[in-house]
Amino acid sequence: MRGIGVVVALLLAPVAAMAQQVSVAQLAAEAKGPVDSSTFVVSRGGKVVATERVRRVGPTVTGDFLPNAADPVRTRWEAVVTPEGAVGLLEVTEKQGLDTGKVRARVIQRGRAIWKGDSVAMEAMTSGGLHMRFYKTTPNSAPYLNLSFGLLDVALQRVLPKVGESAPLPLFNLTGGVTATATVTRPSPDSARVRLGTVEFALALDARGRVRGGGIPAQGVEVRRE
């Protein structure tokens, strides 16, 4: 067991060093280009269950996912997209409650994931301290968060196939560290379908190939981009 631990430590060393030297905030400050902002509104049965505000400047994309609940856990993610369209660095912060001016939301967890070849190094700062884990994955896998259409939109931009064709989309589940490969099909220029196991996303696309609406029909989930 000690030998395995040493190997993992050696593999993590260069990734950990990179994590100390760079952050999404630093890269975002240097990013230049037009600002692209929008909001995904997720509903079920006509009732809004969550909103996700997404903003992109150059290679940096940020999202604020807020469930429609009395005491919500807000998830803020910040990603850096490589020139090839893959996510190379992702930072995630989870907060309990809302900032009211008098009371600040409580930070539950902060994490960072760095993709390097066929591996992902994840750091997580919790009440129990700093934890780091190393996961195997498929090269160019995309981060996956449940009901985050903002992250799914980023992932699709890299693999969206031509009309009538299909393409694999490896998705790395941030909550479980497991990679599953979805299949993306393009029935028409303005639509796409993503099948992940037994779950299928039916999505409407705009002229730029971005997700503008759709949902998960079998679950009664609908989404629209505003």
Side-chain angles (χ1 to χ4, degrees):
M1 293 299 293
R2 181 178 181 276
I4 295 176
V6 171
V7 172
V8 172
L10 289 173
L11 289 170
L12 280 175
V15 181
M18 183 189 300
Q20 294 173 355
Q21 296 171 5
V22 68
S23 70
V24 173
Q26 291 171 334
L27 292 171
E30 300 172 359
K32 296 180 180 179
V35 178
D36 184 2
S37 299
S38 55
T39 300
F40 289 98
V41 180
V42 184
S43 60
R44 179 183 280 118
K47 180 181 179 181
V48 175
V49 296
T51 57
E52 185 176 29
R53 296 180 177 86
V54 181
R55 184 174 186 267
R56 180 164 189 163
V57 183
T60 64
V61 190
T62 61
D64 281 287
F65 185 88
L66 180 63
N68 185 17
D71 190 20
V73 174
R74 187 183 74 188
T75 302
R76 179 177 177 82
W77 54 265
E78 302 174 281
V80 175
V81 180
T82 69
E84 295 74 30
V87 173
L89 170 65
L90 182 76
E91 293 178 354
V92 179
T93 302
E94 292 184 344
K95 292 185 177 182
Q96 181 82 47
L98 297 171
D99 291 318
T100 63
K102 295 182 179 179
V103 179
R104 294 180 63 85
R106 180 172 63 90
V107 176
I108 299 175
Q109 178 172 281
R110 295 183 190 274
R112 175 183 295 174
I114 298 177
W115 278 255
K116 189 175 179 65
D118 62 353
S119 63
V120 179
M122 295 188 69
E123 298 176 328
M125 178 60 74
T126 67
S127 58
L130 178 64
H131 304 275
M132 178 176 281
R133 295 196 65 179
F134 175 84
Y135 297 92
K136 296 290 290 183
T137 189
T138 303
N140 293 319
S141 64
Y144 178 81
L145 280 173
N146 189 38
L147 293 184
S148 174
F149 286 89
L151 275 177
L152 182 60
D153 186 46
V154 173
L156 282 175
Q157 298 307 300
R158 187 183 64 81
V159 303
L160 201 60
K162 296 179 180 179
V163 174
E165 297 184 0
S166 64
L169 174 58
L171 296 170
F172 178 79
N173 192 327
L174 293 168
T175 59
V178 177
T179 300
T181 299
T183 300
V184 182
T185 55
R186 188 82 175 270
S188 65
D190 60 355
S191 69
R193 290 184 177 271
V194 181
R195 187 168 188 82
L196 180 61
T198 60
V199 177
E200 185 173 71
F201 297 76
L203 305 171
L205 307 176
D206 64 16
R208 295 162 55 186
R210 305 181 310 165
V211 174
R212 64 177 177 83
I216 310 174
Q219 298 180 5
V221 173
E222 298 180 345
V223 63
R224 68 178 187 274
R225 188 175 198 153
E226 299 180 343

